[in-house]
Amino acid sequence: GADAAASHAPPDAAAVARVQHEIKAARSSIFAVYGSDETSVKQHMAEGVKFYAAEGRQKIVERMLRAFAIRDGFAIAVGGMSDVAAHGNMFEESYPAVCEAALKPVFDAAAVPLTVRNMAMGGVPSYPNSVCMEDNLGADADVVVWDFRMVEIPSYEAGKKYGELYVRQAMMMPRAPAVMFKRDNVYLKDVPYAWEDGGVHVIDETKALNMFKKLKSPGLANEKFCEGQCTCPGQVKWHAGWKTQRFRGHHMALAYLDMFEEAMGQYLALLTDNGAPGPEDHRWDIVRRRTLEAPSVKLDASHALFASRSFRCAMTWTPRTGIDVVDLVDGPMNGWKHTHPSPRVAQGEAQGKQCHYRDSKRCVVGDAASHWIFFKIPNVKADGLLGFCGDFQSTEFGEYALIMVNQEEVMDKLTLWLEAKTLGIAAACFSVSHNVQPGDNVVGFRVTSGDLKLTLTHLVWEEDDDGASRRVAAAPLSREAAAEPAAADE
């Protein structure tokens, strides 16, 4: 009774003081790693943090304020490539993990469950996972991070499309998150519609890192892979060692500590005024964005299809927070395999598991010896799109495959979205609206040529919902634990 009521009571000034104490302690702990002059360390650590609009910063402060006031969670979801996935080091030494560890005592003191979710994959750019934000990064994200600096060149036309698509799809996620970039990519100046509403900001450690290296900071001396002894795969010159990973995590944590401190100040002001609004107050409502302004990058009609619509996905790749493609198989696999794209990839992932890596490029593969495989796509909206992505040997599907939607062939009715090529993958996505029905839809694939395979990694669809504004609660996603890569091929 009384204890339960107290636990749901709005935080008081004493609760704020406890959080402020932990913020000060967290800062001091970080500063001590990099030098004895705390004032100098603090000054250098402030380098590289940029908001394109002050209102964008306030958006994050307000979200933190909300989490504290109503005891909701706060989640940062990080998309990135192999360096972010900690390749070369232990996964726990990745900078998102360091950031979470540095912030956790503060958020624990605030009774706010914190997640900094590292969803990076080796050798993969932001697309095509960027059209699967909710099922890749998590529906509970309050901040979405772009860190594909080695696999996505922002000045190239394709890089601009990938980058703006990332911003737009993030903005349409359930909790309308802010978007953080690890580098100040050139196209960010061209998306003013996202500066405030999308809270677009940059936390780039490069200048501060170089300054501390020049000062011979003890926190960066004698850099190597792994704090302890390890033989983790990916120990190459373009991957960061554990101390650089730690620095990035600390630099990022300090930026968000500043915002959390500001949130505490604003909460105290509410207490002093008329008291903080209760949990049911509409001030705390999170309204999902349903529409966006037109993209700034010139897009043709096919690209516009996915630049302004949000999608649900099933994915074979991990990490993810949603379901696997094989979870939608309707009937037997009929000779299709849920496997790695090559023995080399399988071997590398097996080695990576020893260092707790979570990224996997497993896929669903069929050839001429396979028969039909069908997938039941749930709850598709009226006039919605269905799509699929994969690492295809040929996109001339009519020459070697049959593809059906609800028992009607659609090979000549597919629309190509973007393509993405790195040293790790060559991915493409296609969509179709022909013969798509409201509700459940069945999509089928069969390979007819003896020479080529068909490799699927994503199934994509527009979900039917009521479109109403609603409060979206933060909660751990039940499927995240199930998204760990399997130990052996099936």
Side-chain angles (χ1 to χ4, degrees), residues 370-390:
S370 314
H371 298 283
W372 279 101
I373 188 170
F374 294 99
F375 302 94
K376 183 178 283 188
I377 311 298
N379 198 28
V380 180
K381 69 183 293 186
D383 302 318
L385 295 176
L386 292 179
F388 60 92
C389 308

Side-chain angles (χ1 to χ4, degrees), residues 59 63 74-79 115 117 119 126 128-146 148 164-180 197-198 285-292 306-313 315 320-322 463 465 467-475 477:
K59 171 188 170 63
R63 185 62 59 86
F74 189 85
I76 301 172
V78 183
T115 301
R117 182 179 293 130
M119 307 304 281
S126 63
N129 281 348
S130 55
V131 294
C132 299
M133 287 276 193
E134 183 172 345
D135 294 293
N136 174 215
L137 298 179
D140 60 344
D142 297 290
V143 176
V144 165
V145 178
W146 177 103
F148 299 88
E164 186 170 11
L165 176 63
Y166 197 84
V167 171
R168 294 175 70 82
Q169 287 293 335
M171 290 176 68
M172 291 187 289
M173 289 175 70
R175 285 168 65 90
V179 190
M180 186 269 266
D197 196 26
D285 287 353
I286 294 175
V287 179
R288 183 172 188 172
R289 304 180 187 91
R290 299 293 175 178
T291 58
L292 296 174
F306 59 84
S308 300
R309 307 186 190 193
S310 59
F311 299 92
R312 297 302 305 272
C313 295
M315 307 164 52
R320 60 173 184 271
T321 58
E463 185 178 52
D465 59 35
S469 300
R470 65 187 188 277
R471 180 175 300 188
V472 186
L477 297 174

Side-chain angles (χ1 to χ4, degrees), residues 7 85 156 188 245 303 334 339 437 450 484:
S7 68
Y156 287 8
L188 295 179
Q245 291 277 4
H303 296 159
N334 280 336
T339 186
Q437 303 169 0
E484 295 288 335

Side-chain angles (χ1 to χ4, degrees), residues 384-403:
L385 295 176
L386 292 179
F388 60 92
C389 308
D391 193 342
F392 302 114
Q393 294 175 306
S394 168
T395 57
E396 299 296 329
F397 298 114
E399 297 179 358
Y400 72 101
L402 297 173
I403 302 172

Side-chain angles (χ1 to χ4, degrees), residues 245-259:
Q245 291 277 4
R246 181 177 65 177
F247 185 88
R248 287 182 183 140
H250 284 161
H251 183 260
M252 179 174 165
L254 287 168
Y256 290 115
L257 282 175
D258 287 349
M259 292 176 235

Side-chain angles (χ1 to χ4, degrees), residues 20 46 61 223 383 422 428 476 485:
Q20 290 172 326
V61 171
E223 176 65 299
D383 302 318
T422 69

Side-chain angles (χ1 to χ4, degrees), residues 398-429:
E399 297 179 358
Y400 72 101
L402 297 173
I403 302 172
M404 294 201 306
V405 173
N406 299 317
Q407 299 185 344
E408 188 168 329
E409 291 184 9
V410 295
M411 291 85 72
D412 60 344
K413 297 177 175 64
L414 299 173
T415 298
L416 173 64
W417 289 0
L418 284 172
E419 296 179 273
K421 294 182 180 181
T422 69
L423 293 175
I425 61 152
C429 298

Side-chain angles (χ1 to χ4, degrees), residues 112-125:
V112 173
L114 171 71
T115 301
V116 182
R117 182 179 293 130
N118 187 349
M119 307 304 281
M121 283 187 71
V124 176

